[in-house]
Amino acid sequence: MINNIISDKNLIEKEKKIFEIIIFFILLISCIYIFNIFSKIGAEKSYLESTLFFIRSFSSILSLLAFGSCLISYNRLKKDSIFIIALMYLGLSVGIAFGQIDFLSFYYEEYTLFSYITVSASIFRMILLIIAIIPKSKIQTLIVKNKKISILFVILYTIVFDVVEKNINFFQSFHSTDFFIIYNYFLMAIYLISAIRLFILGIKEKEYIFVVLASSIFMLAIKAIYAVHAVNTTSFYVKLTSVSITYTIFLIVIAGSFIELYLYINRTKMLNDNLSLFYNLADNNKHSFMYICNEDGDILYGNKKFMEHYKVSSMEDAKRLKLYFSLSRSRIDNKNEIMESLNTKGVWRGIIKNLDGNMSIDCSLQVIETLGDKKEYAVTYLDISQVINKELELEKMKVYNKEKTEFMSNISHELRTPINIFYSTIQLLDISLLKSEKDFREVYAKYKRTLHVNCKRMLRLINNVVDISKIETGILKGKFDYYNLISIVEDVTLSVVNYAHLKSINIQFDTNEEEFITKCDPSMMERVLLNLLSNAIKFTPENKNIYVNIYVNDDFAEINIKDEGIGISKSDKAAIFERFVQADKSLTRENEGSGIGLSIVKSIIDLHGGYISVESEVGEGSTFKIILPNRYDGYINYKIYDINNYNTELELSDIYEILV
C-alpha cells in the first residue's frame, strides 16, 4: 500500500502457496478419476475386485486430502510437528496406493502382518510420529529445512521397502498370529501416547489442529485394537469395518482441518474488523502524527496526517525521510534517555525538539515486537510549538506587566523625592520672603544646589522614560559619523574623576592604542559610558578602585569598566539588561535609580552593532565588557567630539549623597 508505505509480502506469499497446494490436489484427484474412466472402459471386473479397487482409490484420495490438509495447517502455523505428522499421513497414502494397508487381507482367510501391513513402512511411520511429538530437536529442524527431500524420501522409502519386504523370506518368520498381536499392541501404545501428547499440546498452545490430529491418531490406536480383536474373525464385514476406521482417520483430519480453517477465518475476520477499526482510527486521526519505523529509520507506515504533512506518495519519498527519522542517527539532545527507556521499559513519552530546534513536539514511542531480531517503533506525536509559544508569550507578558508595575512604583518613588524637596524648599522660600529679602537670599543660597541637583534628577529620569519608549516603538535612531572612540572614552572617564574623588574612589584609565576611528553616535556612547561609570561609583565603597581599559585590534575595540564594588548575583546577572529591572527592587535601597539605565545602554550598543556583557562575583566587584566593531575604512576624515559637562552632571545626578 503506497499511501501507507506498507506491504505484507509474507502474507501474499503464504496465500499463494496454499492456493497452489489446493490446486495441485484437485488436479491430482481429477487426473486419477480421468485415468480411471478412460483406462477401464469396457473392462469387466468381479464383485470383489471392484470393491477392492474402490477401497484403494477412495482411501488413496482421502489420505492425499489428509496430507494436503496437514500441509495447509503447517503453512498457516509454521509448526514443525505438523509437517512431520503430514509426512506420516503421506506414508499412509503411499502405502494404501500400493496395497500395503487394508487390501491384501481380503484375499486371505486369516490376519497376518504380511496380509495386513508392511512392517518396515509401519515402523518408519512410528519413527516420524515419535519425532513429531518430542520437544523441538535438531532432527525436526533438519526434516523441516529440507521439505522437498523429506517428502521424496518418504515416498521412495515406502515403495522400496514394500517391494523388499514382500520378496525377502526373512520377514516371513514375523507373520505369525502372536507377533501380529504383539505388534498391534505396540502400535496402540505409540498411537495413544502420541494422541495424548498432541491433545495436551493443543490445549496448552490453544491450537485446535493439534486436537484434530490427536483424534485422528487416537483412531489409529482403535484400529490397532480392532485388528487384535478381529485376528480370529475373517468375515467380510469385519474387514470392511477395519477399512471404515481408516476412512474415519482421514476424514477426521480433513474435516477437522476445514473446521479449524473456518474458525481461523472467523477469528481473522473478527481481528480484521477490530484492526480495521483501529486502523481507521489511526489513519484518519486529524489530531496526531502517527508512523511506524525500524531502527534504521525506514518508514513502514504513516497515517494520512503524516503522509500529507511530509508529502509522501511513493517509496522514494519514504527514503527521503529515512535519515530524518532515524533514532540511531538523530541529533536530539535526549537521544540517550529515549533509547535507554525504550530498551528497558519498551516505551518513552516526553517533549523533544526537531533537528532545526524550531518545533516542540509531544512525542510517544513504543517498541513493537516482531518475528525478527530488529526492533520496530510505533511513534505518535503532536506539534505543540504554538501552545508552548503562547504559554511563553503569556508568561513573558506576566513578567513584563509585573516589571512594569514595579517600574511605575519605582518611578513614583524617584519622582516623589525631588518633588518633596522642591515643595519643602518652596515653603521655606515663601516663609523667608515674608521676612526680608536678606532672609530669602540666604535660604535660596542654602538650597540652590539641592534644587539644581533634583531638577537634573527629574530631567534625567524623564529622558530615560522617553528613550525607553522610543526603544519599545523602534524609533530610537543615532546620528552616526566617524570619531576617535578612545578619545571619547578617555574624556568621559576624566569628566567623572572629580565625582569619584568625592567618595575617595580612584579611577584608572589605560589603552593599548591612542586611536580607534569608528562610525558611532558620540552622544550615545557618552551616555553609555556615563551610565556604567555612574553605576560603578554608586555601588563601589570608599577607598576602592575603578579601572577603564581599552583593547584595540584591526577588527574591534573592547572597553572594560571594572569596579571593586558589591558585585551582582548570578540570578540578577541574567536580567540586569532587561527593561524595568533592578537588582534591588526595594524602596528602602541605599542607591537610587529607575532600573532602565542598563536596558538603554544595551539598546545603544545593539544599535552600534556591538555586544555588552558582565562578569561579576558578589563582594568582589563587576566588569562590564563592551565590544564594538571596526567600521572605518581609513579614507574618511573623522570628527572631534567635545564632552558636555552638563551631561555628566545630569547622568550622575542620582548620586545625590555625593553632591549635596
Side-chain angles (χ1 to χ4, degrees), residues 7 56 66 113 209 227 233 238 248 268 274 299 314 329 367 369 392 396 404 420 527 530 569 613 616 628 656 659:
S7 61
R56 181 185 290 189
L113 282 179
I209 188 63
T233 306
V238 170
T248 305
T268 304
N274 291 331
I299 308 299
S314 65
R329 297 188 182 97
V367 178
E369 297 296 335
L392 289 174
K396 285 181 181 179
K404 209 164 189 178
N420 285 336
R527 188 171 182 182
L530 285 173
S569 66
S613 62
S616 182
L628 293 173
Y656 64 91
L659 301 176

Side-chain angles (χ1 to χ4, degrees), residues 480-485 515-520 631-641:
F480 289 90
D481 213 328
Y482 291 96
Y483 296 90
N484 182 0
L485 182 64
E515 192 176 80
F516 182 79
I517 312 302
T518 187
K519 195 174 185 180
C520 66
R631 300 167 69 183
Y632 181 62
D633 57 15
Y635 297 102
I636 301 174
N637 293 327
Y638 66 89
K639 296 181 179 181
I640 303 297
Y641 178 74

